[in-house]
């Protein structure tokens, strides 16, 4: 089975973003960029499939600026076999990314697309669901466990009330949640080896996809700040403040 | 303009998230319809028809919709969506799972997790775990939107009158997926996302058994119990307890964070709470920077002290 894993380059999840003074967005210059943490989990799972003899090729796919090659190299260093970059400087929306991925899937014919449930930059949580619709494939979102059967995947989904298990006919789009696995670190030899792995570079035009945004970002602002309040020393003092000052008890 | 709200339910009752979504819908148009897709769900349709602000309920009742499988439900929504200016769903796992699949079928760029409606095409939504707010304008002719339920009041559940219910025909089973089982967390306590008081534990709780201490406080206060990602990852509590960027977003009157350091991702899920209390033995913990009331103390002495002081 061939596996496609889309990966996104985002501001590192441990960094607190700064909003640009002119309201045009968040500051991306001189900020540490990393692979979206959910994408890392998807890459890890694909490698575990391969190690278990369930997958024979892993292709990582990124859509974005030229620097997204670094993100692909990360995936290759973790253990993916080759990469595809769909290069563009346009700020891509989930709908456009799903269209680009559809074109790649139609060309590569994988048995599964494994991807993060959301990217921690725009927090949209859409691309996998959209891709599944465009391909008319089964969809498993927020997945914390995957079992591979002959013609299906049994997946456990993290839903609001607890867990839900569904059987997905193959091929499928599966979006992964935090507890699916703990991603490995790439070893130095594997980082070196990844440098020689192939990355194919395409453009949206090569794939015949219009990626013009549909949603315009008018302004990005800082949310109202919360400030540190008072300190208490005892339970009585805490309860007194909650009852008589905050009036929430 | 008419607005369609996707009613979240379990074939028995309407979920509370629907009520907040209806309020958002009424800010967009006066003609708000609700869509119920399910099986043996007549009770849901008649309950939804009573929600204040709803002028009509569309109901599709058939066995292929029993478990809300997205591959079967999405075509139903897609089929009727083009008759509306907006289609809204709560930004719960129900709405997040379903609406983007519909959006792609309609070639629409969905707007996720809105916290404010500026005008019929302009919305505010948090990005980067709520560390920035984006004001965005949608150019699509039908706007598909998920709504952050904590930022819209709940519509009145029983308005005293009942909107008409129209039955639509089912569209069949796509045969792409099937339901296997549910492992739902049973709790007598209020639901996390709608509770007035939430008490959450983090890594500092050290074990699942120790959460009993928080449950005792929760029962005294009528509170829900939540957790940080660290506590869920460690297996102390089930996944549906998680509060944060990728878990549940809560905004209760009172949020008690116990043994939680306050990572950006956790703050994203609770910083709109009215009053935040942090109990942590590390006085440098980032949670204290957002807490209205901080108590630097070992939770294993503080929580029992709090429990007896509440008696």
């Amino acid at each position: 089975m061939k596996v496609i894993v889309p990966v996104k380059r985002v501001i590192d999840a441990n960094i607190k973003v700064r909003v640009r003074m002119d309201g045009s967005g968040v500051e991306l210059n001189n900020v540490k960029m990393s692979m979206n943490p959910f994408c890392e989990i998807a890459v890890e799972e694909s490698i575990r499939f391969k190690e278990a003899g369930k997958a024979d090729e892993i292709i990582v796919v990124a859509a974005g600026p030229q620097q997204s090659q670094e993100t692909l190299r990360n995936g290759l260093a973790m253990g993916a076999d080759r990469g595809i970059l769909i290069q563009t400087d346009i700020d891509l929306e989930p709908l456009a990314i799903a269209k680009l991925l559809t074109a790649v899937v139609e060309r590569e014919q994988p048995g599964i697309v494994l991807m993060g449930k959301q990217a921690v930059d725009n927090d949209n949580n859409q691309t996998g669901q959209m891709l599944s619709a465009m391909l008319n494939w089964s969809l498993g979102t927020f997945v914390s466990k995957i079992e591979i059967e002959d013609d299906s995947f049994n997946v456990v989904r993290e839903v609001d009330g607890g867990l839900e298990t569904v059987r997905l006919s193959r091929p499928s789009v599966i979006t992964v949640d935090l507890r699916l696995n703990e991603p490995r670190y790439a070893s130095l030899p594997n980082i070196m080896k990844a440098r020689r792995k192939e990355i194919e570079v395409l453009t949206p035009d090569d794939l015949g996809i219009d990626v013009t945004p549909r949603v315009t970002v008018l302004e990005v602002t800082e949310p109202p700040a919360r400030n540190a309040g008072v300190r208490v020393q005892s339970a009585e003092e805490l309860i007194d403040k909650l009852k008589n000052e905050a009036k929430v008890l | 303009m008419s607005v369609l709200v996707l009613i979240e339910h379990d074939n028995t009752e309407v979920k509370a998230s629907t009520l907040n979504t209806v309020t958002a819908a009424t800010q967009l148009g006066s003609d708000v319809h609700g869509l119920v897709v399910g099986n043996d769900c007549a009770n849901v349709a008649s309950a939804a028809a009573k929600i204040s602000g709803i002028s009509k309920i569309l109901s599709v009742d058939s066995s292929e919709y029993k478990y809300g499988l997205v591959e079967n439900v999405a075509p139903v929504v897609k089929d009727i969506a083009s008759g509306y200016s907006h289609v809204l769903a709560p930004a719960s796992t129900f709405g997040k799972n379903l609406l983007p699949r519909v959006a792609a079928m309609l070639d629409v760029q969905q707007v996720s997790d809105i916290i404010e409606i500026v005008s019929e095409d302009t919305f505010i939504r948090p990005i980067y775990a709520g560390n920035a707010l984006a004001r965005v304008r949608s150019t699509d002719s039908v706007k598909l939107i998920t709504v952050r339920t904590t930022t819209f009041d709940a519509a009145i559940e029983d308005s005293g009158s009942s909107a008409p219910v129209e039955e639509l025909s089912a569209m069949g089973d796509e045969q792409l997926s099937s339901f296997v089982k549910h492992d739902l967390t049973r709790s007598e306590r209020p639901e996390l996302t709608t509770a007035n008081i939430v008490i959450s534990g983090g890594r500092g709780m050290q074990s699942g058994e120790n959460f009993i201490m928080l449950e005792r406080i929760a029962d005294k206060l009528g509170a829900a119990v939540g957790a940080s990602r660290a506590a869920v990852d460690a297996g102390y509590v089930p996944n549906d307890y998680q509060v944060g960027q990728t878990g549940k977003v809560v905004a209760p009157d009172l949020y008690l964070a116990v043994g939680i350091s306050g990572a950006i991702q956790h703050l994203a899920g609770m910083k709109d709470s009215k009053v935040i209390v942090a109990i942590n033995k590390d006085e440098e913990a980032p949670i204290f920077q957002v807490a209205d009331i901080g108590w630097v103390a070992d939770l294993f002495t503080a929580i029992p002290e709090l429990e007896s002081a509440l008696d």
Side-chain angles (χ1 to χ4, degrees), chain A residues 235 239 243 249, chain B residues 216-217 220-221 305-311:
Chain A
I239 291 169
K243 277 192 173 145
L249 279 189
Chain B
R216 285 206 217 107
I217 307 260
K220 286 192 197 302
L221 297 174
E305 199 184 309
L306 181 61
E307 190 190 345
S308 49
L310 283 168
D311 283 329

Side-chain angles (χ1 to χ4, degrees), chain A residues 36-43 115-118 120 176-178, chain B residues 246:
Chain A
N36 176 46
F38 289 94
C39 303
E40 282 187 326
I41 295 169
V43 173
M115 55 198 291
K117 74 165 180 177
Q118 77 189 70
V120 298
V176 306
D177 217 316
L178 294 168
Chain B
T246 67

Side-chain angles (χ1 to χ4, degrees), chain A residues 19-245:
Chain A
V19 174
R20 284 195 204 117
M21 294 295 277
D22 64 2
S24 62
V26 302
E27 191 52 71
L28 296 169
N29 289 327
N30 300 316
V31 174
K32 185 184 177 200
M33 306 294 284
S34 297
M35 186 188 291
N36 176 46
F38 289 94
C39 303
E40 282 187 326
I41 295 169
V43 173
E44 174 63 34
E45 194 69 8
S46 71
I47 297 164
R48 292 186 189 191
F49 284 180
K50 197 172 172 189
E51 288 168 346
K54 307 274 190 184
D56 37 50
E57 188 182 26
I58 302 163
I59 309 167
V60 281
V61 182
Q66 191 262 332
Q67 297 93 316
S68 301
Q69 291 224 14
E70 294 161 19
T71 314
L72 290 172
R73 291 279 168 217
N74 284 350
L76 296 172
M78 285 174 74
D81 296 296
R82 63 184 166 97
I84 298 173
L85 170 63
I86 306 156
Q87 192 175 323
T88 174
D89 288 327
I90 294 176
D91 205 1
L92 295 172
E93 294 175 339
L95 186 71
I97 298 172
K99 287 176 183 175
L100 295 169
L101 292 173
T102 299
V104 171
V105 167
E106 283 168 352
R107 198 184 76 172
E108 298 286 346
Q109 302 284 320
I112 184 173
V113 178
L114 255 180
M115 55 198 291
K117 74 165 180 177
Q118 77 189 70
V120 298
D121 51 1
N122 289 320
D123 287 331
N124 277 307
N125 200 327
Q126 298 177 4
T127 307
Q129 294 89 315
M130 288 179 157
L131 176 63
S132 77
M134 291 173 187
L135 296 166
N136 197 29
W137 284 10
S138 58
L139 168 67
T141 49
F142 328 137
V143 166
S144 60
K145 191 174 175 198
I146 305 173
E147 285 170 2
I148 305 177
E149 310 282 338
D150 287 341
D151 58 353
S152 65
F153 300 105
N154 274 324
V155 298
V156 177
R157 306 181 53 231
E158 294 199 350
V159 295
D160 284 339
L163 300 172
E164 177 188 89
T165 307
V166 288
R167 182 184 162 281
L168 307 174
S169 300
R170 285 163 65 167
S172 308
V173 175
I174 294 179
T175 80
V176 306
D177 217 316
L178 294 168
R179 278 164 286 277
L180 182 63
N181 61 48
E182 196 144 332
R184 70 193 64 193
Y185 291 101
S187 66
L188 192 58
N190 285 342
I191 292 170
M192 302 304 284
K193 236 194 304 183
R195 290 190 184 161
R196 292 192 300 275
K197 289 182 181 172
E198 175 205 341
I199 292 181
E200 181 187 7
V201 180
L202 301 168
T203 66
D205 281 344
D206 292 337
L207 297 168
I209 306 291
D210 176 8
V211 294
T212 312
R214 308 286 188 82
V215 172
T216 317
V217 178
L218 302 171
E219 190 188 22
V220 175
T221 55
E222 296 250 11
R226 276 196 96 105
N227 295 317
V230 298
R231 294 283 170 102
V232 296
Q233 310 293 336
S234 71
E236 283 74 22
E237 200 185 342
L238 172 60
I239 291 169
D240 175 64
K241 288 222 183 307
L242 292 176
K243 277 192 173 145
N244 301 318
E245 289 176 28

Side-chain angles (χ1 to χ4, degrees), chain B:
Chain B
M1 280 192 298
S2 41
V3 181
L4 183 67
V5 172
L6 308 187
I7 307 282
E8 180 172 4
H9 66 90
D10 58 3
N11 294 315
T12 308
E13 54 185 24
V14 174
K15 298 273 178 186
S17 59
T18 300
L19 302 174
N20 312 86
T21 311
V22 168
T23 297
T26 56
Q27 293 181 15
L28 287 162
S30 50
D31 204 13
V32 176
H33 298 178
L35 174 64
V36 176
V37 184
N39 187 217
D40 286 330
C41 55
N43 288 343
V44 174
S46 56
K50 295 194 180 86
I51 299 172
S52 174
I54 292 272
S55 58
K56 185 160 98 175
I57 290 293
L58 306 169
S59 171
V60 191
D61 189 335
S62 185
S63 60
E64 66 266 37
Y65 307 123
K66 182 169 184 184
Y67 298 106
L69 294 169
V70 65
E71 297 88 345
N72 294 341
V73 176
V76 175
V77 184
K78 184 240 170 188
D79 217 40
I80 60 168
S82 48
Y84 294 89
S85 59
H86 302 76
V87 179
L88 269 58
S92 55
T93 51
F94 158 78
K96 289 175 182 172
N97 184 44
L98 171 60
L99 205 63
R101 183 142 171 141
V102 178
M105 294 168 104
L106 292 166
D107 193 29
V108 166
Q109 176 52 56
Q110 174 184 313
V111 181
S112 289
D113 207 17
I114 63 163
I115 58 168
E116 189 181 327
I117 295 165
V118 178
S119 70
E120 64 184 61
D121 65 0
T122 304
F123 313 95
I124 295 178
R125 58 179 304 267
I127 55 175
Y128 290 95
N131 287 303
L133 301 177
R135 191 156 54 89
V136 299
R137 179 183 290 146
S138 162
T139 56
D140 285 306
S141 57
V142 183
K143 292 164 182 52
L144 271 63
I145 296 165
T146 59
V147 174
R148 179 171 288 198
T149 53
T150 52
T151 57
F152 294 88
D153 291 336
I156 296 165
E157 201 167 352
D158 186 352
S159 63
S161 64
S162 206
V165 177
E166 185 184 317
E167 301 279 345
L168 302 178
S169 49
M171 296 181 68
D173 191 338
E174 298 279 325
Q175 312 269 0
L176 288 173
S177 64
S178 53
F179 174 81
V180 179
K181 64 170 178 162
H182 270 145
D183 296 292
L184 299 182
T185 308
R186 302 261 165 241
S187 172
E188 299 302 312
R189 294 187 193 94
E191 211 185 310
L192 196 49
T193 49
T194 52
N196 292 323
I197 301 178
V198 173
I199 180 163
S200 286
R203 198 193 304 271
M205 296 304 296
Q206 294 181 11
S207 75
E209 291 74 56
N210 289 335
F211 265 77
I212 293 166
M213 299 195 306
L214 302 189
E215 288 167 4
R216 285 206 217 107
I217 307 260
D219 291 339
K220 286 192 197 302
L221 297 174
V225 178
S228 69
R229 177 192 170 183
V232 179
D233 281 0
Y236 301 167
V237 287
N239 65 286
D240 52 305
Y241 280 49
Q242 188 179 326
V243 171
Q245 179 184 18
T246 67
K248 286 178 181 163
V249 176
V250 301
D253 292 335
L254 173 58
Y255 187 89
L256 290 137
V258 182
I260 291 177
S261 63
I264 298 170
Q265 291 77 12
H266 185 73
L267 301 184
M270 46 64 87
K271 70 186 167 68
D272 293 329
S273 305
K274 204 176 283 171
V275 175
I276 296 172
V277 173
I279 300 174
N280 200 306
K281 67 179 174 190
D282 173 13
E283 64 177 317
E284 301 296 322
I287 190 78
F288 287 119
Q289 292 164 19
V290 300
D292 301 285
I293 304 174
W295 184 8
V296 180
D298 184 338
L299 70 92
F300 293 101
T301 51
I303 295 300
E305 199 184 309
L306 181 61
E307 190 190 345
S308 49
L310 283 168
D311 283 329

